[in-house]
Amino acid sequence: MKILTSKEISQVDKNTIEKTGIPSLLLMENAGRSCVEVILKEFPFAKNIAVVAGKGNNGGDGVVVARYLQRLGKNVKLFILAQNEEKLSSDNKTNLNIFKKFSNHFYFITQSDLQFLGENLNTADLIVDAIFGTGFKPPVEGYSKDVIFMINSSGKPVVSVDIPSGIDADSPFFDTAVKANLTITFGYLKPCHILYPSAENCGKVFVADISLDDSYAPSYRQLITPYNVSLPKREKTGNKYTFGHVAIIGGSVGKSGAVIMASRSASVSGSGLTTAIVPKDINQIIETNLIEEMSIPVNCKNGTFSKESKDEILDILNKGKFSSVVVGMGMSVNEDTVEVIKGILTVEKPLVIDADGINNLSKVENFKDLLKQRAFPTVLTPHTGEFSRLTGLDSKTILENFESVASQFSKESGSYLILKFSRMVVFTPDGKIYYCNKGNPGMATAGTGDVLAGIVGSLLNRLPVEDALKLSVLLHSIAGDLAAAEKGQESLKATDLIENIPHAYKEIEFQRKIKRDSLIKRID
């Protein structure tokens, strides 16, 4: 499913109208009717409905909603935030004139009418928010801010048309905005529907097909779903080497659990063989906690890898039958570990760099050039703090500009990126962006990143790199949601994700079997 920015959806609208020949009024009609279909299904007992509409085309959508609901026997009152109809967009005005043929329950609302509006909102069963659409850019000004406050404080369920009013379609950050129970958007998702905190204001999100011409919609930004991921196949003639041998490199005294979790998640994700390469000071702990996985101890200093262990690790990797390498979790950061990372960059195998591997990489001179020179895929899995060390940008700047910053980094370094914050987003060197809208706050706990790294390392052996990353992120997120459903978010542990990876596979397979031929799709 494609995700479009406000500028992109505006261009698709324009091309659909001017080049495909679908009139704007028909698109508005389709949008309003789609909203009504969802409203009737989700709020079947709502009788008294207040529709609050703006002056623009989002308001026009709201007027269509009001007409259909009125025709279906609902007690509808339409409130338009304008002095008169001359202030309305052309299509909005046209639909208001149609509405007048069926009802005289419409009211123009100005600053002096707010008490009247508030009284009506408080007696409604449902409020439809159609004040601002995807073309709006914060902040909210004038009495519209008071109206949004009144909607939010009414205690009534709220349905937002396209996006909750006050939110920037392209950004998760906002000042004043409607808090909706449900949002129906048109044609395509927008970033605000997926990213927190704006996604929380959207509530349930439905995407309605209103006949926008998809040929004009760019496809480089998409949502990861069970329907657009590839699953690895287990060939009947295969053996353990067929399904890949993952090397997990990391750990130090006090941080042995990171390697254990990454190793176990690699095995559960389908790796034929998994070997942990660790400092010898923690090997006994590793051996005690890993059963199916193997371990190789190497020389160390003060409980972590030393400069001398670099050559030992490289010898193991180059002589062994490893098909992918995962490095970084729990390895600590010092001059010696920086040298280890520099050495591992020369290994001619698919490589995943996680956690302290990223922190060490950030201290390597010209590391982008070294990444670019690699002939095999390199995947980095930073959270915003680690990405800050890679880019030299503060976390706030990254969060406010993450698409442009991460895309540029991926292109310049030739590496694939899984950026981890309230959502996970995959970036490819050729400019593709994949959002995941699964996962939950309970996953913000130690070790979940190690689990993801192990999954990625395993699937790189089974699928093309882009497919491997999309499936890895989806598996990890669904496993987290399944674990939270069982144990609650507060008690969630990283090891709970590992236990749920098999169930996540089954959930994806189950979802892929469900036929969803509907013009309106719920995104959850």
Side-chain angles (χ1 to χ4, degrees), residues 294-325:
M294 299 171 286
S295 70
I296 300 176
V298 298
N299 289 314
C300 62
K301 181 175 70 176
N302 299 324
T304 188
F305 294 121
S306 63
K307 289 181 181 178
E308 290 72 25
S309 63
K310 179 184 76 171
D311 291 336
E312 194 174 354
I313 292 169
L314 293 179
D315 188 58
I316 292 167
L317 294 177
N318 290 324
K319 290 182 178 178
K321 295 181 179 180
F322 298 103
S323 46
S324 66
V325 177

Side-chain angles (χ1 to χ4, degrees), residues 449-491:
D450 306 319
V451 173
L452 175 65
I455 297 172
V456 176
S458 174
L459 292 178
L460 280 177
N461 300 320
R462 311 285 303 285
L463 296 167
V465 58
E466 201 169 295
D467 292 334
L469 301 189
K470 288 163 58 181
L471 180 58
S472 295
V473 167
L474 189 62
L475 271 176
H476 182 265
S477 300
I478 291 177
D481 287 343
L482 292 172
E486 178 186 359
K487 298 189 175 182
Q489 294 182 12
E490 290 298 336
S491 300

Side-chain angles (χ1 to χ4, degrees), residues 59 141 150 253 263 326 424 433 456:
E141 296 177 340
M150 292 165 62
V253 170
S263 299
V326 180
M424 284 194 285
I433 306 172
V456 176

Side-chain angles (χ1 to χ4, degrees), residues 18-19 21 31 74 87 90 129 171-172 206 216 255 257 268 283-284 286 317 378-379 389 393 395 403 409 460 490 501:
E18 295 179 359
K19 297 181 180 180
K74 304 292 185 180
K87 302 294 184 180
S90 174
D129 155 43
S171 171
F206 292 78
Y216 297 114
K255 299 179 181 178
V268 175
N283 190 58
Q284 184 174 350
I286 301 297
L317 294 177
T378 308
V379 182
R389 296 177 196 114
L393 301 172
S395 294
E403 264 203 14
F409 180 93
L460 280 177
E490 290 298 336
I501 291 172

Side-chain angles (χ1 to χ4, degrees), residues 92-157:
N92 191 335
K93 185 189 300 184
T94 298
N95 271 299
L96 178 59
N97 288 328
I98 296 171
F99 181 82
K100 290 177 183 178
K101 308 291 185 184
F102 301 100
S103 173
N104 60 359
H105 294 298
F106 65 93
Y107 311 89
F108 290 103
I109 300 296
T110 62
Q111 180 79 49
S112 60
D113 303 307
L114 291 184
Q115 183 176 347
F116 170 72
L117 174 62
E119 290 169 354
N120 281 276
L121 293 180
N122 290 332
T123 58
D125 300 322
L126 177 70
I127 298 171
V128 176
D129 155 43
I131 304 170
F132 302 126
T134 55
F136 172 80
K137 292 298 177 184
V140 179
E141 296 177 340
Y143 71 95
S144 295
K145 194 169 187 176
D146 298 319
V147 173
I148 290 173
F149 176 79
M150 292 165 62
I151 291 172
N152 289 342
S153 60
S154 69
K156 307 298 181 178

